[in-house]
Amino acid sequence: MMGLGNHKHRSCHRPRGKNLGIPELIAIALGGMVGGGIFTVLGLSVAMVGPYTPIAICIGGVLAAMAAYSYIKLGVYYRDEGATYSFYKRTYPDSHFAASLIGWWVIFGYISTLALYAYTFASYAISGFAEADNIWLRKAVAGAVLLVFTLINVWSVKGMGKIEDLMVYSKLVILVVISFVLINNSNTTLPVLFSEATDVGLLSILMVASITFVAYEGFQLVVNAVNEMEQPERNIPRAIYSAIFLAALIYVVISLGAILAIPFQDIIDNKEYALAAGANKVLGHWGTELIILGALLATSSAISGTVFGASRQMAVIASDGYFPAILKKRVGHIPVNAIIAMSCLAFVLILAGDLQEILEFGSITFLLVSLLMALANDRMRHETGSSRWLTLTSIVGLALGTVLILAYEALHQPRQLMFIIALYVILSLGSWGYSLIRQRANHHD
C-alpha cells in the first residue's frame, strides 16, 4: 500500500542493493505485518470468541490472501512502487475523486495503524508498573514514542535502517519462543475449552476474523520493492503468499499458547497488554520481561516502517495536489513535513479514541481499500490475466468482511460506529474538496 516517493528506494525498510531475493522480500512483508497487530487483537478476540480465536485468525489470513491476489496481479502488471494509490490512479485515470479518495483512505489507514502500534507499545511499556491501567499515562507514553520515531526519521533514517532488520528477525524469534513456552505451560486442553464455549456462533467468529484483518496489513510492502527484484512476476506472489502463511502460523501459535496457558479472564481484563499480564502468573518474571521485549521490538519496528513508508506516500499524494502542498516539501529525500503531520495526526487519534476504536477503524479502512483494489483488478482482469472467479470471490469475501465489522459495531458499539463514520465523512469530504481543487487547476492549465 505504501508508495514512497519518486526516488529510487521506496521500500518500507532501509535502502538495499539490487536484486532482492525471496528471503529478503518475505522479511520486508513480515516486518510490516508482525507489528503491534497480534498483541492488540488477542485480548479483543478472546473476549468475543474465546477458544475459537486461532480459527478466527486463520480465517483472517484467508481474507488477507484474497486481498493479496489483486495486489499481486496489479503489482506485476503496473510494476509501480506507488502500489495502492498509483494502481487506482492508473486504473481510473479520468477520475480525480477516485485518486484523491484512495489516497486519503490509505494514508489515514496507516495513521490509524501508527496510532495502534504506539498505543500497544505504551500499554506493554508500562504494564509492569502500578499505573499500568492509567489511560492518560498510556496515551502520554504513546505520544512520546511517536515523537522519538518522528525525530529518528527526520534526522537519522540511515541509523534506524541499520538496526531494522535485526529488530524484525529478533521479534520473530522472541514471538516463537514465547509461543512454545506458553504451550509447554498449558493448564487446559482445547476440547475442554470448546466444551465450555457453547454460545459462540459462526457469525461471531467471522466478525473477529474481519476485525483481525489489520494484523495482516503490511504484505503490500513487497510491491514497493518491485524495481529492486528480479522476475517480479515470479517473486512478488511467492513472497507475499509465503509471508501471509508465516504470519498466520505465528499468530495462530501465539494465540493457541495464550488460550491454553492464560486464564481467559486475565486476557480479557488486560486486553491492552494481555500476554504480559497473563504470562506473569504462568511464566514468572523472566517470561513477562521476554514478552514485553517482544512487544516493544514488534511495535518499534512497525512504527519505524510505517512512519518511513507512509510519509513518503503522503508527500507523493501532496505533489499530485490531493493533500496540502506543504506536505510535499522534502529536506534531501526526507519528507519532513509529512513525517511530522502523520505522527501528529496519529497522536490526535490516540487522544480521541480508545484501542478498540483505533483497531476497528484500521481494519475497516484496509478492508475497504483492499475491496477497491479487487474492483480495480476486476476492471483490468484482461490486462492482468486475473481469474474472474478468484477476483469475484475476493470482492465478495472483502465486502462481507467489511459488512460484518459494521454489523458488529451497529449491534454492540453504536457510539463507536458513529465515531468511525464521522472519521470517514471527514476523510471523504477532504478528498472530494482536494479533487475539485486539482480539477480546477487542470482546467486553468
Side-chain angles (χ1 to χ4, degrees):
M1 276 191 189
M2 297 182 188
L4 309 184
N6 294 325
H7 58 289
K8 189 175 178 181
H9 298 291
R10 304 181 204 181
S11 160
C12 164
H13 285 58
R14 64 180 171 81
R16 300 165 186 263
K18 281 283 184 181
N19 304 329
L20 293 175
I22 290 291
E24 291 86 3
L25 294 172
I26 291 173
I28 287 171
L30 281 175
M33 275 193 283
V34 187
I38 186 58
F39 290 96
T40 306
V41 302
L42 188 61
L44 298 172
S45 301
V46 170
M48 288 173 66
V49 295
Y52 293 92
T53 294
I55 295 170
I57 288 171
C58 269
I59 297 171
V62 172
L63 205 56
M66 287 181 180
Y69 181 74
S70 293
Y71 277 96
I72 289 166
K73 290 296 185 181
L74 291 168
V76 169
Y77 176 68
Y78 285 126
R79 302 198 181 193
D80 190 319
E81 294 168 309
T84 308
Y85 170 69
S86 297
F87 296 166
Y88 219 69
K89 189 173 71 170
R90 292 173 68 170
T91 302
Y92 302 96
D94 300 324
S95 174
H96 286 288
F97 182 53
S100 184
L101 188 69
I102 199 83
W104 279 63
W105 282 8
V106 165
I107 292 301
F108 278 86
Y110 277 113
I111 287 168
S112 73
T113 59
L114 199 54
L116 184 69
Y117 298 150
Y119 195 90
T120 305
F121 179 99
S123 299
Y124 275 85
I126 66 171
S127 62
F129 297 95
E131 296 294 310
D133 293 322
N134 184 322
I135 193 164
W136 290 108
L137 176 62
R138 194 178 295 153
K139 291 184 179 192
V141 174
V145 75
L146 283 173
L147 177 62
V148 168
F149 281 101
T150 299
L151 295 175
I152 287 170
N153 274 273
V154 166
W155 288 331
S156 181
V157 173
K158 287 183 180 177
M160 192 61 205
K162 288 176 183 176
I163 62 166
E164 194 158 355
D165 282 350
L166 180 63
M167 288 167 68
V168 170
Y169 289 112
S170 298
K171 74 183 179 186
L172 294 179
V173 170
I174 289 170
L175 292 177
V176 170
V177 169
I178 289 167
S179 306
F180 285 105
V181 170
L182 284 172
I183 290 172
N184 197 45
N185 285 272
S186 59
N187 54 29
T188 185
T189 62
L190 279 177
V192 170
L193 292 176
F194 285 136
S195 68
E196 293 170 352
T198 53
D199 58 340
V200 177
L202 178 61
L203 201 59
S204 297
I205 295 170
L206 292 175
M207 282 179 177
V208 171
S210 304
I211 291 168
T212 60
F213 186 75
V214 75
Y216 291 97
E217 176 278 311
F219 65 79
Q220 310 90 344
L221 299 175
V222 170
V223 178
N224 300 133
V226 66
N227 292 338
E228 299 174 74
M229 67 178 82
E230 291 179 337
Q231 297 181 287
E233 68 284 349
R234 174 175 172 267
N235 287 342
I236 288 176
R238 286 178 67 188
I240 288 178
Y241 288 131
S242 298
I244 289 173
F245 173 77
L246 288 171
L249 188 63
I250 291 166
Y251 293 164
V252 166
V253 175
I254 287 174
S255 61
L256 195 60
I259 63 173
L260 289 175
I262 304 170
F264 283 4
Q265 204 54 49
D266 285 355
I267 297 175
I268 295 165
D269 289 346
N270 305 288
K271 58 179 178 286
E272 286 87 359
Y273 50 96
L275 278 177
N280 190 42
K281 295 177 184 175
V282 180
L283 307 179
H285 181 68
W286 74 267
T288 306
E289 295 299 323
L290 185 65
I291 286 172
I292 292 171
L293 177 62
L296 299 186
L297 273 176
T299 47
S300 294
S301 65
I303 291 167
S304 173
T306 304
V307 170
F308 181 90
S311 63
R312 280 151 180 79
Q313 181 166 353
M314 192 184 223
V316 170
I317 297 168
S319 298
D320 286 348
Y322 298 124
F323 274 136
I326 193 172
L327 296 176
K328 70 181 180 183
K329 183 184 176 185
R330 294 174 187 258
V331 177
H333 288 303
I334 301 170
V336 173
N337 292 347
I339 290 170
I340 293 168
M342 282 204 70
S343 297
C344 288
L345 287 167
F347 188 50
V348 168
L349 196 55
I350 288 167
L351 292 175
D354 64 17
L355 179 76
Q356 194 158 347
E357 286 169 344
I358 297 167
L359 173 69
E360 287 166 23
F361 174 74
S363 280
I364 292 168
T365 301
F366 286 113
L367 278 167
L368 280 172
V369 168
S370 297
L371 176 60
L372 291 174
M373 284 296 100
L375 291 168
N377 187 42
D378 185 54
R379 178 175 176 142
M380 301 294 293
R381 67 185 181 279
H382 298 301
E383 288 82 358
T384 62
S386 298
S387 157
R388 187 78 200 274
W389 183 83
L390 282 174
T391 306
L392 290 177
T393 301
S394 299
I395 290 169
V396 171
L398 293 164
L400 181 63
T402 308
V403 169
L404 283 172
I405 293 188
L406 295 174
Y408 168 78
E409 291 291 314
L411 289 170
H412 302 287
Q413 304 279 357
R415 189 194 66 80
Q416 202 161 275
L417 180 61
M418 295 309 295
F419 174 82
I420 291 169
I421 289 173
L423 280 176
Y424 278 112
V425 170
I426 293 166
L427 294 182
S428 300
L429 287 173
S431 63
W432 178 65
Y434 272 91
S435 71
L436 288 180
I437 293 168
R438 171 69 191 273
Q439 212 165 343
R440 283 176 191 149
N442 279 10
H443 285 317
H444 287 306
D445 292 342

